Amino acid sequence: MQNLRISKNGIWQFRYQIPKAQRHLFGNRYEIKRSLRTGDKQIAIVKALQLELEVRVAIQQNQPLSALQIPSNSPAKPATSISKANPTSLDPFKCLKLYRNSKVDQVNPKTIEMAYAKCHIVLTLLQAKGIKDIRRLQAEEARALLAQYPVNAKKHKQFDGLKGQQLIHANLKHKLPTLSSESVKDYIQKCSSFFEWCLQMEMTDINPFKGMRFKKTRKDSEAKNAYSHADLKKLFSTEIHTQKKYKHSHYYWLPLLGLYTGARLNELCQLYRQDIYKLDGIWVIKIDDKFEGQRLKNNSSRRLVPIHSKLLELGFIDFVKKIQHERIFPELKQERDGFGTAASKWFGRFKTKLGFQRGYDFHSFRHTVATQFKNSDVSSVEAAELLGHGQNNITYDRYGKAICTLKLARTIEKLVFEV
């Protein structure tokens, strides 16, 4: 662990370099040094993680931190409690909390909370007292148990007060749907990431979930459905688009923007007026995270998307110019998952009323665009540039610069739909 050092007398120390811009929060010190008062590396790692979290929270909240409290060595304290069965093995649930805390300023909050919840379910199923007690045999047991685990267990009243294997036994009576093979795979992958972190932090000696194989039940392209010509006709034939009768402007513009840009829902919901401008004489939408509340899925998501002529024809630029707010859709408020929560719920109700089943949602517009590009022989490089995907190619990802706007504009015009 990079913030740990050991002294000549065998006592572990915590050292943390303070970024120049935040040194005023720590009395203008460039580095924090603290003795962890222990020669046990496992205990030192846990203490160092707690101290690092305090520092990171102070930086994130821009609040001065006058003193750091060194965590106690007492095994009664949550951060240092270890399994009675194995004195060198930490409590798996406490390791999981430390894992979540370590990702606070690195990963989208929704992403880490979902990973935490899935790993927590697996640990509850296994009932291991120590992190080192979970080996490959237990990982395989988790796979088998997850296949019997009821879907959305917390939403069913008949499961109130039950957890772990109790839910599985109760479901033998209720016979509610269980996790699909794809979902089981996702749980295992989340656990693998967690244990890989534990391995790096030297909390355990193996990653028992690493390299577990799963039979592929469908193509990647079949995970979500693309909209057909008939589907699009149904979506855009309501009074929202035929008569422009709607309560909120995003009811009208979001489906159109999704269809003619392929952008993710939250990327569109968080747009500011300044994200719409002319570049080299071409109107573009900038997908970025430089304004308050904006967030990106990853670095590849940052991009420019030329505005399709159909959107210009429908008056999108005039709409943007008339908005008396810095954001394009001010009625959409920021929530835990970003600005797209309310819009996602609305579209879910909207498409269900039209008869669309599971597998069709707003993200299906993205699949529709990708399918159209594929059928129009658009290169994977151009498609990835417009959709915000990495190239998985060092030549393009590291050395290749953005494709010129004019070329991207010509590519976006290959999206031809009758709406």
Side-chain angles (χ1 to χ4, degrees):
M1 185 176 175
Q2 62 180 1
N3 294 325
L4 275 180
R5 301 287 187 278
I6 193 165
S7 65
K8 292 180 180 179
N9 57 3
I11 300 299
W12 288 97
Q13 295 180 330
F14 171 77
R15 300 180 69 173
Y16 192 95
Q17 296 273 338
I18 305 298
K20 188 174 182 180
Q22 282 82 37
R23 288 177 188 170
H24 65 283
L25 300 173
F26 304 89
N28 292 319
R29 286 175 292 174
Y30 74 91
E31 185 181 44
I32 291 178
K33 297 180 183 179
R34 290 289 186 276
S35 170
L36 296 176
R37 304 171 190 165
T38 181
D40 188 314
K41 187 172 184 181
Q42 296 299 327
I43 294 175
I45 287 172
V46 175
K47 285 188 173 189
L49 284 168
Q50 289 180 286
L51 293 176
E52 182 179 347
L53 180 61
E54 282 192 58
V55 173
R56 287 181 177 273
V57 168
I59 291 174
Q60 186 180 37
Q61 297 179 352
N62 199 33
Q63 293 181 350
L65 188 63
S66 56
L68 278 175
Q69 297 296 322
I70 305 301
S72 167
N73 281 341
S74 171
K77 297 292 183 182
T80 55
S81 177
I82 57 177
S83 167
K84 292 181 181 179
N86 187 344
T88 64
S89 188
L90 295 165
D91 183 331
F93 293 99
K94 288 166 185 174
C95 292
L96 182 59
K97 287 181 180 178
L98 290 170
Y99 171 68
R100 178 177 62 180
N101 293 341
S102 75
K103 302 294 183 181
V104 166
D105 57 352
Q106 300 176 23
V107 181
N108 182 300
K110 180 181 178 181
T111 301
I112 188 59
E113 285 303 321
M114 288 178 66
Y116 175 84
K118 290 178 179 180
C119 291
H120 196 280
I121 286 173
V122 171
L123 294 180
T124 303
L125 286 171
L126 291 179
Q127 302 175 337
K129 292 183 177 179
I131 193 75
K132 290 183 179 179
D133 297 329
I134 301 175
R135 318 303 286 183
R136 188 54 171 239
L137 187 62
Q138 284 71 41
E140 291 293 346
E141 180 186 355
R143 185 212 299 253
L145 290 170
L146 285 169
Q148 305 170 61
Y149 196 82
V151 176
N152 296 323
K154 288 185 178 180
K155 294 183 179 180
H156 299 289
K157 290 184 179 180
Q158 54 266 53
F159 294 141
D160 284 352
L162 303 180
K163 61 181 182 179
Q165 295 187 34
Q166 294 173 336
L167 287 165
I168 294 175
H169 294 312
N171 200 38
L172 293 175
K173 172 185 175 182
H174 300 295
K175 293 182 169 52
L176 294 177
T178 56
L179 296 176
S180 67
S181 57
E182 289 293 325
S183 293
V184 172
K185 179 180 178 181
D186 186 48
Y187 275 71
I188 296 298
Q189 288 174 340
K190 296 293 189 295
C191 285
S192 181
S193 297
F194 162 52
F195 270 85
E196 195 63 32
W197 179 85
C198 290
L199 186 59
Q200 291 172 2
M201 294 297 105
E202 300 182 16
M203 295 176 174
T204 189
D205 55 345
I206 65 164
N207 176 357
F209 294 90
K210 187 174 185 178
M212 293 182 73
R213 294 183 177 276
F214 291 84
K215 183 179 179 181
K216 206 159 188 175
T217 57
R218 63 186 179 189
K219 295 180 181 179
D220 292 338
S221 60
E222 294 173 349
K224 291 281 185 181
N225 294 311
Y227 289 120
S228 66
H229 170 73
D231 293 334
L232 293 175
K233 195 168 183 179
K234 186 188 298 184
L235 284 168
F236 291 97
S237 63
T238 73
E239 62 179 14
I240 292 176
H241 291 97
T242 59
Q243 302 175 44
K244 292 194 175 181
K245 287 185 179 181
Y246 46 80
K247 182 178 179 180
H248 298 296
S249 59
H250 66 267
Y251 290 5
Y252 179 82
W253 286 112
L254 283 178
L256 288 167
L257 287 167
L259 182 62
Y260 286 103
T261 67
R264 301 175 179 91
L265 178 60
N266 200 62
E267 292 174 341
L268 297 171
C269 293
Q270 68 185 11
L271 288 173
Y272 279 65
R273 289 181 65 193
Q274 293 182 56
D275 292 322
I276 314 298
Y277 58 91
K278 264 190 175 181
L279 179 65
D280 300 329
I282 298 169
W283 283 103
V284 298
I285 295 175
K286 187 173 187 180
I287 308 293
D288 208 339
D289 60 355
K290 70 174 184 177
F291 296 122
E292 183 180 356
Q294 290 184 325
R295 60 176 67 164
L296 296 175
K297 183 176 181 180
N298 49 50
N299 284 331
S300 299
S301 301
R302 188 176 286 104
R303 64 197 187 278
L304 289 175
V305 182
I307 299 178
H308 195 284
S309 59
K310 183 66 175 180
L311 294 172
L312 299 177
E313 177 190 324
L314 291 170
F316 180 63
I317 300 304
D318 291 335
F319 161 72
V320 172
K321 288 179 177 179
K322 290 177 183 177
I323 297 170
Q324 301 298 312
H325 195 277
E326 59 183 354
R327 285 183 43 241
I328 290 179
F329 303 114
E331 67 273 16
L332 297 175
K333 306 304 179 184
Q334 185 177 14
E335 300 186 41
R336 187 194 72 173
D337 300 333
F339 289 103
T341 304
S344 177
K345 291 177 180 178
W346 163 75
F347 190 80
R349 295 190 300 269
F350 174 69
K351 62 96 177 178
T352 300
K353 285 181 180 178
L354 292 175
F356 289 95
Q357 303 299 317
R358 190 175 180 178
Y360 289 94
D361 54 20
F362 194 90
H363 206 74
S364 296
F365 286 122
R366 194 165 165 82
H367 287 265
T368 304
V369 170
T371 301
Q372 183 84 330
F373 282 155
K374 193 173 182 180
N375 290 334
S376 301
D377 295 324
V378 172
S379 75
S380 59
V381 174
E382 290 179 66
E385 186 85 12
L386 288 165
L387 293 171
H389 289 147
Q391 304 290 348
N392 294 321
N393 183 318
I394 191 170
T395 304
Y396 286 123
D397 283 337
R398 180 170 294 183
Y399 300 106
K401 304 304 178 185
I403 300 172
C404 76
T405 311
L406 179 59
K407 188 171 184 180
L408 290 178
R410 289 171 179 164
T411 301
I412 208 78
E413 290 300 320
K414 292 185 179 182
L415 298 175
V416 179
F417 306 106
E418 295 181 21
V419 298

